Amino acid sequence: RRQAGGVRTIVLNNPRRRNALSLPMLRCLRQDLLHDVKGRELRVIVIAAEGPVFCSGHDLKELSSEDDVKHHSQVFELCAEVMTLIQKLPVPVIAKVNGLATAAGCQLVASCDIAVASEKSQFATPGVNIGLFCSTPAVALGRSLPRKVALEMLFTGEPLSAREALMHGLVSKVVPEDKLEEETMKISQKICESSKSILALGKATFYRQITQDLDTAYKMTTQVMVDNLTLRDGQEGIEAFIQKRKPVWSH
């Protein structure tokens, strides 16, 4: 974990194990996501990885018959906790993908707010091929992709290319490998120009309204817009616009 200029970068750094989401890896990821998350300085979190595989999903050695049902439950429950945590954090989370993302690794990409991928990246849910259907990754995939695209991935295990992932909405941008860092930082720095409190309100509201029917969503977001205006940065932004100056955010 490193942090500079409001951007925290968390690097999955076990390439020998294809950056598998073992229990220790999941615990470290949760810890690094939550570290001083309400601090004034933190504005964006980037999840990256070392090696040719972004993340291969669960460590299958933890899912063998040598471990009992309680242990297996612990693995999947902690993974679900981390995935849902990403969307509950008050700052945007960006997946910076340079390589293969499979199973729970693909789920991790789908769970992030934004995903930037290199052209060589691929995305797959191949659990069906080893007799372990990717049911928990399907939660994130089914909320990011059209149903028929998600189900084809889940039923066949065949990967999406980076361009196909972009076309179907699994990732936000695809860039050449040598431009990946530059593009990710460009997005991060743009986010850092905005008020943290406004972004936190907006992110929380987006995920609340997206699961609601149209009338309920509009009723809820109408009230949020009113609440937004009561925040110090809400008024500062409007006053700065009227006065034709840059806002000075209190965050």
Coordinates of all heavy atoms in Angstrom, one line a residue, residues 121-203:
S121 N -5.5 -7.4 -21.4 CA -6.2 -7.9 -20.3 C -7.4 -8.8 -20.8 O -7.9 -8.6 -21.9 CB -6.8 -6.8 -19.4 OG -5.8 -6.0 -18.8
Q122 N -7.7 -9.8 -20.0 CA -8.8 -10.7 -20.3 C -9.6 -11.0 -19.0 O -9.1 -10.9 -17.9 CB -8.4 -12.0 -20.9 CG -7.8 -11.9 -22.2 CD -7.5 -13.3 -22.8 OE1 -6.7 -14.1 -22.2 NE2 -8.0 -13.7 -24.0
F123 N -10.9 -11.3 -19.2 CA -11.8 -11.5 -18.0 C -12.6 -12.8 -18.2 O -13.2 -13.0 -19.3 CB -12.7 -10.3 -17.9 CG -12.0 -9.0 -17.9 CD1 -11.6 -8.3 -19.1 CD2 -11.6 -8.4 -16.7 CE1 -10.8 -7.2 -19.0 CE2 -10.9 -7.2 -16.6 CZ -10.5 -6.6 -17.8
A124 N -12.6 -13.6 -17.2 CA -13.3 -14.9 -17.3 C -13.9 -15.4 -16.0 O -13.3 -15.0 -14.9 CB -12.4 -15.9 -17.9
T125 N -14.9 -16.2 -16.0 CA -15.4 -16.9 -14.8 C -15.4 -18.4 -15.2 O -16.5 -19.0 -15.5 CB -16.8 -16.4 -14.5 OG1 -17.6 -16.4 -15.7 CG2 -16.8 -15.0 -13.9
P126 N -14.3 -19.1 -15.1 CA -14.1 -20.4 -15.6 C -14.5 -21.5 -14.5 O -14.1 -22.7 -14.7 CB -12.7 -20.5 -15.9 CG -12.0 -19.6 -15.0 CD -13.0 -18.5 -14.7
G127 N -15.1 -21.1 -13.4 CA -15.4 -22.1 -12.4 C -16.1 -23.3 -12.8 O -15.9 -24.4 -12.3
V128 N -17.0 -23.1 -13.8 CA -17.8 -24.2 -14.3 C -16.9 -25.4 -14.8 O -17.3 -26.6 -14.8 CB -18.8 -23.7 -15.4 CG1 -18.0 -23.3 -16.7 CG2 -19.8 -24.8 -15.7
N129 N -15.7 -25.0 -15.3 CA -14.8 -26.0 -15.9 C -14.2 -26.9 -14.8 O -13.7 -28.0 -15.2 CB -13.7 -25.4 -16.7 CG -14.3 -24.6 -17.9 OD1 -15.3 -25.0 -18.5 ND2 -13.7 -23.5 -18.2
I130 N -14.2 -26.5 -13.6 CA -13.6 -27.3 -12.5 C -14.7 -27.8 -11.5 O -14.4 -28.2 -10.4 CB -12.5 -26.6 -11.8 CG1 -13.0 -25.3 -11.1 CG2 -11.3 -26.3 -12.7 CD1 -12.0 -24.7 -10.1
G131 N -16.0 -27.6 -11.9 CA -17.1 -28.1 -11.1 C -17.4 -27.2 -9.9 O -18.1 -27.6 -9.0
L132 N -17.0 -25.9 -10.0 CA -17.4 -24.9 -9.0 C -17.9 -23.7 -9.7 O -17.2 -22.8 -10.0 CB -16.1 -24.5 -8.1 CG -16.4 -23.6 -6.9 CD1 -17.4 -24.2 -5.9 CD2 -15.1 -23.2 -6.3
F133 N -19.2 -23.7 -9.9 CA -19.8 -22.6 -10.6 C -19.6 -21.2 -9.9 O -19.7 -21.1 -8.7 CB -21.3 -22.8 -10.7 CG -22.0 -22.0 -11.8 CD1 -22.1 -22.4 -13.1 CD2 -22.6 -20.8 -11.4 CE1 -22.7 -21.6 -14.1 CE2 -23.2 -20.0 -12.4 CZ -23.3 -20.4 -13.7
C134 N -19.3 -20.2 -10.7 CA -18.9 -18.9 -10.1 C -20.2 -18.1 -9.7 O -20.5 -17.1 -10.2 CB -18.1 -18.1 -11.1 SG -16.5 -18.7 -11.4
S135 N -20.8 -18.6 -8.6 CA -22.1 -18.0 -8.2 C -21.9 -16.7 -7.5 O -22.7 -15.8 -7.7 CB -22.8 -19.0 -7.3 OG -23.2 -20.1 -8.0
T136 N -20.8 -16.6 -6.7 CA -20.6 -15.3 -6.1 C -20.1 -14.2 -7.0 O -20.5 -13.1 -7.0 CB -19.7 -15.4 -4.8 OG1 -18.6 -16.2 -5.1 CG2 -20.5 -16.0 -3.6
P137 N -19.1 -14.6 -7.9 CA -18.8 -13.6 -9.0 C -20.0 -13.2 -9.8 O -20.0 -12.1 -10.3 CB -17.7 -14.4 -9.8 CG -17.1 -15.3 -8.8 CD -18.2 -15.7 -7.9
A138 N -20.9 -14.1 -10.0 CA -22.1 -13.8 -10.8 C -22.9 -12.6 -10.2 O -23.6 -11.9 -11.0 CB -23.0 -15.0 -10.9
V139 N -22.8 -12.4 -8.9 CA -23.5 -11.3 -8.3 C -23.0 -10.0 -8.9 O -23.8 -9.1 -9.3 CB -23.4 -11.3 -6.8 CG1 -24.0 -10.0 -6.2 CG2 -24.0 -12.6 -6.2
A140 N -21.7 -9.8 -8.9 CA -21.1 -8.6 -9.5 C -21.2 -8.5 -11.0 O -21.5 -7.5 -11.5 CB -19.6 -8.5 -9.0
L141 N -21.0 -9.6 -11.6 CA -21.1 -9.7 -13.1 C -22.5 -9.3 -13.6 O -22.7 -8.6 -14.5 CB -20.7 -11.0 -13.6 CG -19.3 -11.1 -14.3 CD1 -18.2 -10.8 -13.3 CD2 -19.1 -12.4 -15.0
G142 N -23.5 -9.9 -12.9 CA -24.9 -9.7 -13.3 C -25.3 -8.3 -13.1 O -26.4 -7.9 -13.7
R143 N -24.6 -7.5 -12.3 CA -24.9 -6.1 -12.1 C -24.1 -5.2 -12.9 O -24.2 -4.0 -12.9 CB -24.8 -5.8 -10.6 CG -25.9 -6.3 -9.7 CD -25.5 -6.4 -8.3 NE -26.7 -6.7 -7.4 CZ -27.2 -7.9 -7.3 NH1 -26.8 -8.9 -8.1 NH2 -28.3 -8.1 -6.6
S144 N -23.1 -5.7 -13.7 CA -22.2 -4.9 -14.5 C -22.5 -5.2 -16.0 O -22.2 -4.3 -16.8 CB -20.8 -5.2 -14.2 OG -20.5 -4.9 -12.9
L145 N -22.9 -6.4 -16.3 CA -23.0 -6.8 -17.7 C -24.4 -7.1 -18.1 O -25.3 -7.5 -17.2 CB -22.2 -8.1 -17.9 CG -20.7 -8.0 -17.8 CD1 -20.0 -9.4 -17.7 CD2 -20.1 -7.3 -19.0
P146 N -24.8 -7.1 -19.4 CA -26.1 -7.6 -19.8 C -26.2 -9.1 -19.4 O -25.2 -9.8 -19.4 CB -26.0 -7.4 -21.3 CG -25.0 -6.4 -21.6 CD -24.0 -6.5 -20.5
R147 N -27.4 -9.5 -19.1 CA -27.6 -10.8 -18.5 C -27.1 -11.9 -19.4 O -26.4 -12.8 -19.0 CB -29.1 -11.0 -18.3 CG -29.4 -12.4 -17.7 CD -30.9 -12.5 -17.4 NE -31.4 -11.5 -16.5 CZ -32.7 -11.4 -16.1 NH1 -33.6 -12.3 -16.5 NH2 -33.0 -10.5 -15.2
K148 N -27.3 -11.8 -20.7 CA -26.9 -12.9 -21.6 C -25.4 -12.9 -21.8 O -24.9 -14.0 -22.0 CB -27.6 -12.7 -23.0 CG -29.1 -13.0 -22.9 CD -29.8 -12.8 -24.2 CE -31.3 -13.3 -24.2 NZ -32.1 -12.6 -23.1
V149 N -24.8 -11.8 -21.7 CA -23.3 -11.8 -21.8 C -22.7 -12.4 -20.5 O -21.8 -13.3 -20.5 CB -22.7 -10.4 -21.9 CG1 -21.2 -10.4 -21.9 CG2 -23.3 -9.8 -23.2
A150 N -23.3 -12.1 -19.3 CA -22.8 -12.6 -18.1 C -23.0 -14.1 -18.0 O -22.1 -14.9 -17.6 CB -23.6 -11.9 -16.9
L151 N -24.2 -14.6 -18.5 CA -24.5 -16.0 -18.5 C -23.6 -16.8 -19.4 O -23.2 -17.9 -19.1 CB -26.0 -16.2 -18.7 CG -26.9 -15.9 -17.5 CD1 -28.4 -15.9 -18.0 CD2 -26.6 -16.8 -16.4
E152 N -23.3 -16.2 -20.6 CA -22.4 -16.9 -21.5 C -21.0 -17.1 -20.8 O -20.4 -18.2 -20.9 CB -22.3 -16.2 -22.8 CG -21.4 -16.9 -23.8 CD -21.2 -16.2 -25.1 OE1 -21.9 -15.2 -25.4 OE2 -20.3 -16.6 -25.9
M153 N -20.5 -16.1 -20.2 CA -19.3 -16.2 -19.4 C -19.4 -17.3 -18.4 O -18.5 -18.1 -18.2 CB -18.9 -14.9 -18.8 CG -18.5 -13.8 -19.7 SD -18.0 -12.3 -18.8 CE -16.5 -12.8 -18.0
L154 N -20.5 -17.3 -17.6 CA -20.6 -18.2 -16.5 C -20.8 -19.6 -17.0 O -20.3 -20.6 -16.4 CB -21.8 -17.8 -15.6 CG -21.6 -16.5 -14.9 CD1 -22.9 -15.9 -14.4 CD2 -20.7 -16.7 -13.7
F155 N -21.6 -19.8 -18.1 CA -21.9 -21.2 -18.6 C -20.7 -21.8 -19.3 O -20.5 -23.0 -19.3 CB -23.1 -21.1 -19.5 CG -24.4 -20.9 -18.8 CD1 -25.5 -20.4 -19.5 CD2 -24.5 -21.1 -17.4 CE1 -26.7 -20.2 -18.9 CE2 -25.7 -20.8 -16.8 CZ -26.8 -20.4 -17.5
T156 N -19.9 -21.0 -20.0 CA -18.8 -21.5 -20.9 C -17.4 -21.4 -20.2 O -16.5 -22.2 -20.6 CB -18.8 -20.8 -22.2 OG1 -18.4 -19.5 -22.1 CG2 -20.2 -20.9 -22.9
G157 N -17.2 -20.4 -19.4 CA -15.9 -20.2 -18.9 C -15.0 -19.5 -19.8 O -13.8 -19.2 -19.5
E158 N -15.5 -19.1 -21.0 CA -14.7 -18.5 -22.0 C -14.4 -17.0 -21.7 O -15.3 -16.3 -21.2 CB -15.3 -18.6 -23.4 CG -15.3 -20.0 -24.0 CD -13.9 -20.5 -24.3 OE1 -13.2 -19.8 -25.0 OE2 -13.6 -21.5 -23.8
P159 N -13.2 -16.5 -21.9 CA -12.9 -15.2 -21.5 C -13.4 -14.1 -22.5 O -13.6 -14.3 -23.7 CB -11.3 -15.2 -21.6 CG -11.0 -16.2 -22.6 CD -12.0 -17.2 -22.5
L160 N -13.6 -12.9 -21.9 CA -13.8 -11.7 -22.7 C -12.5 -11.0 -22.9 O -11.7 -10.9 -22.0 CB -14.7 -10.7 -22.0 CG -16.2 -11.0 -21.8 CD1 -16.9 -9.9 -21.1 CD2 -16.9 -11.4 -23.1
S161 N -12.3 -10.5 -24.1 CA -11.1 -9.7 -24.4 C -11.3 -8.3 -23.7 O -12.5 -8.0 -23.3 CB -10.9 -9.5 -25.8 OG -11.9 -8.7 -26.4
A162 N -10.3 -7.5 -23.6 CA -10.4 -6.2 -23.0 C -11.4 -5.4 -23.8 O -12.3 -4.6 -23.2 CB -9.1 -5.5 -23.0
R163 N -11.4 -5.5 -25.2 CA -12.3 -4.7 -26.0 C -13.8 -5.2 -25.8 O -14.7 -4.4 -25.8 CB -11.9 -4.8 -27.5 CG -10.6 -4.1 -27.8 CD -10.8 -2.6 -27.7 NE -9.5 -1.8 -27.8 CZ -9.3 -0.6 -27.5 NH1 -10.4 0.2 -27.2 NH2 -8.1 0.0 -27.6
E164 N -13.9 -6.5 -25.7 CA -15.3 -7.0 -25.4 C -15.8 -6.5 -24.1 O -17.0 -6.2 -23.9 CB -15.3 -8.5 -25.5 CG -15.1 -9.0 -26.9 CD -14.9 -10.5 -27.0 OE1 -14.2 -11.1 -26.0 OE2 -15.4 -11.2 -27.9
A165 N -14.9 -6.6 -23.1 CA -15.3 -6.1 -21.7 C -15.7 -4.6 -21.7 O -16.6 -4.2 -21.0 CB -14.1 -6.3 -20.8
L166 N -15.0 -3.8 -22.5 CA -15.3 -2.4 -22.7 C -16.7 -2.3 -23.4 O -17.6 -1.5 -22.9 CB -14.3 -1.7 -23.5 CG -14.5 -0.2 -23.8 CD1 -14.6 0.6 -22.5 CD2 -13.5 0.3 -24.7
M167 N -16.9 -3.0 -24.4 CA -18.1 -2.9 -25.2 C -19.4 -3.3 -24.3 O -20.4 -2.7 -24.5 CB -18.1 -3.9 -26.4 CG -19.3 -3.9 -27.3 SD -19.1 -4.9 -28.7 CE -19.0 -6.6 -28.0
H168 N -19.2 -4.3 -23.4 CA -20.3 -4.7 -22.6 C -20.4 -4.0 -21.2 O -21.3 -4.3 -20.5 CB -20.2 -6.2 -22.4 CG -20.4 -7.0 -23.7 ND1 -21.5 -6.9 -24.5 CD2 -19.6 -7.9 -24.3 CE1 -21.4 -7.7 -25.5 NE2 -20.2 -8.3 -25.4
G169 N -19.4 -3.1 -20.9 CA -19.5 -2.3 -19.7 C -18.9 -2.9 -18.5 O -19.1 -2.4 -17.4
L170 N -18.0 -3.9 -18.6 CA -17.3 -4.5 -17.5 C -16.2 -3.5 -17.1 O -15.8 -3.4 -15.9 CB -16.8 -5.9 -17.8 CG -16.0 -6.6 -16.7 CD1 -16.9 -6.7 -15.4 CD2 -15.5 -7.9 -17.1
V171 N -15.6 -2.9 -18.1 CA -14.5 -1.9 -17.8 C -14.9 -0.5 -18.3 O -15.7 -0.4 -19.2 CB -13.1 -2.4 -18.3 CG1 -12.7 -3.7 -17.7 CG2 -13.1 -2.4 -19.8
S172 N -14.2 0.5 -17.9 CA -14.5 1.9 -18.3 C -13.7 2.3 -19.5 O -14.2 3.0 -20.3 CB -14.3 2.8 -17.1 OG -14.7 2.3 -15.9
K173 N -12.4 1.9 -19.5 CA -11.5 2.3 -20.6 C -10.6 1.2 -20.8 O -10.2 0.4 -19.9 CB -10.8 3.6 -20.2 CG -11.6 4.8 -20.2 CD -10.7 6.1 -20.1 CE -11.6 7.3 -20.3 NZ -10.8 8.6 -20.2
V174 N -10.1 1.1 -22.1 CA -9.0 0.2 -22.5 C -7.9 1.0 -23.2 O -8.2 1.8 -24.1 CB -9.5 -0.9 -23.5 CG1 -8.4 -1.7 -24.0 CG2 -10.6 -1.8 -22.8
V175 N -6.7 0.9 -22.7 CA -5.6 1.6 -23.2 C -4.4 0.7 -23.5 O -4.3 -0.4 -23.0 CB -5.2 2.7 -22.2 CG1 -6.3 3.7 -22.1 CG2 -4.8 2.1 -20.9
P176 N -3.4 1.1 -24.3 CA -2.2 0.4 -24.5 C -1.5 0.2 -23.1 O -1.7 1.0 -22.2 CB -1.4 1.2 -25.4 CG -2.3 2.1 -26.1 CD -3.5 2.3 -25.2
E177 N -0.8 -0.9 -23.0 CA -0.2 -1.2 -21.7 C 0.7 -0.1 -21.2 O 0.7 0.2 -20.0 CB 0.6 -2.5 -21.8 CG 1.2 -3.0 -20.5 CD 2.0 -4.3 -20.6 OE1 2.0 -4.9 -21.8 OE2 2.5 -4.8 -19.6
D178 N 1.4 0.5 -22.1 CA 2.3 1.6 -21.6 C 1.6 2.9 -21.3 O 2.2 3.8 -20.8 CB 3.4 1.9 -22.7 CG 2.8 2.4 -24.0 OD1 1.6 2.4 -24.2 OD2 3.6 2.7 -24.9
K179 N 0.3 3.0 -21.5 CA -0.5 4.1 -21.1 C -1.4 3.9 -19.9 O -2.1 4.8 -19.5 CB -1.4 4.6 -22.3 CG -0.6 5.0 -23.5 CD 0.1 6.3 -23.3 CE 0.8 6.8 -24.6 NZ 1.6 8.0 -24.4
L180 N -1.3 2.7 -19.3 CA -2.3 2.3 -18.3 C -2.1 3.1 -17.0 O -3.0 3.6 -16.4 CB -2.1 0.8 -17.9 CG -3.0 0.2 -16.9 CD1 -4.5 0.4 -17.3 CD2 -2.7 -1.3 -16.6
E181 N -0.8 3.3 -16.6 CA -0.6 4.1 -15.4 C -1.0 5.6 -15.6 O -1.6 6.2 -14.8 CB 0.9 4.0 -15.0 CG 1.4 5.0 -13.9 CD 0.8 4.6 -12.5 OE1 0.3 3.5 -12.4 OE2 0.9 5.5 -11.6
E182 N -0.7 6.1 -16.8 CA -1.0 7.5 -17.1 C -2.5 7.7 -17.1 O -3.0 8.7 -16.5 CB -0.4 7.8 -18.5 CG -0.7 9.2 -18.9 CD -0.2 9.5 -20.4 OE1 0.7 8.8 -20.8 OE2 -0.8 10.4 -21.0
E183 N -3.3 6.8 -17.7 CA -4.7 7.0 -17.8 C -5.4 6.8 -16.4 O -6.3 7.6 -16.1 CB -5.3 6.0 -18.8 CG -6.8 6.2 -19.0 CD -7.1 7.5 -19.6 OE1 -6.3 8.1 -20.4 OE2 -8.2 8.1 -19.3
T184 N -4.9 5.9 -15.6 CA -5.4 5.7 -14.3 C -5.2 6.9 -13.4 O -6.1 7.3 -12.7 CB -4.8 4.4 -13.6 OG1 -5.0 3.3 -14.5 CG2 -5.4 4.1 -12.3
M185 N -4.0 7.4 -13.5 CA -3.7 8.6 -12.7 C -4.4 9.9 -13.2 O -4.8 10.7 -12.4 CB -2.2 8.9 -12.7 CG -1.4 7.9 -11.9 SD -2.0 7.6 -10.2 CE -1.8 9.3 -9.6
K186 N -4.7 9.9 -14.5 CA -5.4 11.1 -15.0 C -6.8 11.1 -14.4 O -7.3 12.1 -14.0 CB -5.5 10.9 -16.5 CG -6.3 12.0 -17.2 CD -6.3 11.8 -18.8 CE -7.2 12.8 -19.5 NZ -7.2 12.5 -20.9
I187 N -7.5 9.9 -14.4 CA -8.8 9.8 -13.8 C -8.7 10.1 -12.3 O -9.6 10.9 -11.8 CB -9.4 8.4 -14.0 CG1 -9.6 8.2 -15.5 CG2 -10.7 8.2 -13.3 CD1 -9.9 6.7 -15.9
S188 N -7.7 9.5 -11.6 CA -7.6 9.7 -10.2 C -7.4 11.2 -9.8 O -8.0 11.7 -8.9 CB -6.4 8.9 -9.6 OG -6.6 7.6 -9.9
Q189 N -6.6 11.9 -10.6 CA -6.3 13.3 -10.3 C -7.5 14.2 -10.6 O -7.7 15.2 -9.9 CB -5.1 13.7 -11.1 CG -3.8 13.2 -10.6 CD -2.6 13.2 -11.6 OE1 -2.8 13.7 -12.7 NE2 -1.5 12.7 -11.2
K190 N -8.3 13.8 -11.6 CA -9.5 14.6 -11.8 C -10.5 14.4 -10.7 O -11.1 15.4 -10.3 CB -10.1 14.1 -13.2 CG -11.4 14.9 -13.6 CD -11.1 16.3 -13.8 CE -12.3 17.1 -14.2 NZ -12.0 18.5 -14.4
I191 N -10.6 13.2 -10.2 CA -11.5 13.0 -9.0 C -11.0 13.8 -7.8 O -11.8 14.4 -7.0 CB -11.5 11.5 -8.6 CG1 -12.3 10.7 -9.7 CG2 -12.2 11.2 -7.3 CD1 -12.2 9.2 -9.6
C192 N -9.7 13.9 -7.6 CA -9.1 14.6 -6.5 C -9.4 16.1 -6.5 O -9.3 16.8 -5.5 CB -7.6 14.4 -6.5 SG -7.1 12.8 -5.9
E193 N -9.8 16.6 -7.7 CA -10.2 18.0 -7.8 C -11.5 18.4 -7.1 O -11.8 19.5 -6.9 CB -10.2 18.5 -9.2 CG -8.8 18.4 -9.9 CD -8.9 18.8 -11.4 OE1 -10.0 19.2 -11.9 OE2 -7.9 18.6 -12.1
S194 N -12.3 17.3 -6.9 CA -13.7 17.6 -6.3 C -13.7 17.4 -4.8 O -12.8 16.9 -4.2 CB -14.7 16.6 -7.0 OG -14.7 16.8 -8.4
S195 N -14.8 17.8 -4.2 CA -15.0 17.7 -2.8 C -15.2 16.3 -2.3 O -16.1 15.6 -2.9 CB -16.2 18.6 -2.4 OG -16.7 18.2 -1.1
K196 N -14.5 15.9 -1.3 CA -14.6 14.5 -0.8 C -16.0 14.3 -0.3 O -16.6 13.2 -0.5 CB -13.6 14.2 0.2 CG -13.7 12.8 0.8 CD -12.5 12.4 1.7 CE -12.6 11.0 2.2 NZ -11.5 10.5 3.0
S197 N -16.6 15.2 0.4 CA -17.9 15.0 1.0 C -19.0 14.9 0.0 O -19.9 14.2 0.1 CB -18.2 16.2 2.0 OG -18.1 17.4 1.4
I198 N -18.8 15.7 -1.1 CA -19.8 15.6 -2.2 C -19.7 14.3 -2.9 O -20.8 13.7 -3.2 CB -19.6 16.8 -3.2 CG1 -19.8 18.2 -2.5 CG2 -20.6 16.7 -4.3 CD1 -21.1 18.4 -1.8
L199 N -18.5 13.9 -3.2 CA -18.3 12.6 -3.9 C -18.9 11.4 -3.0 O -19.5 10.5 -3.5 CB -16.9 12.3 -4.2 CG -16.3 13.1 -5.4 CD1 -14.8 12.9 -5.4 CD2 -16.9 12.6 -6.7
A200 N -18.6 11.5 -1.7 CA -19.1 10.4 -0.8 C -20.6 10.4 -0.8 O -21.2 9.3 -0.9 CB -18.6 10.7 0.6
L201 N -21.3 11.5 -0.8 CA -22.7 11.6 -0.8 C -23.2 11.0 -2.2 O -24.1 10.2 -2.2 CB -23.2 13.0 -0.7 CG -24.7 13.2 -0.8 CD1 -25.5 12.5 0.3 CD2 -25.1 14.7 -0.8
G202 N -22.6 11.4 -3.3 CA -23.0 11.0 -4.6 C -22.8 9.5 -4.8 O -23.7 8.8 -5.4
K203 N -21.7 8.9 -4.3 CA -21.4 7.5 -4.5 C -22.5 6.7 -3.7 O -23.0 5.7 -4.3 CB -20.0 7.2 -4.1 CG -19.7 5.7 -4.1 CD -18.3 5.3 -3.8 CE -18.1 3.8 -3.7 NZ -16.6 3.5 -3.4

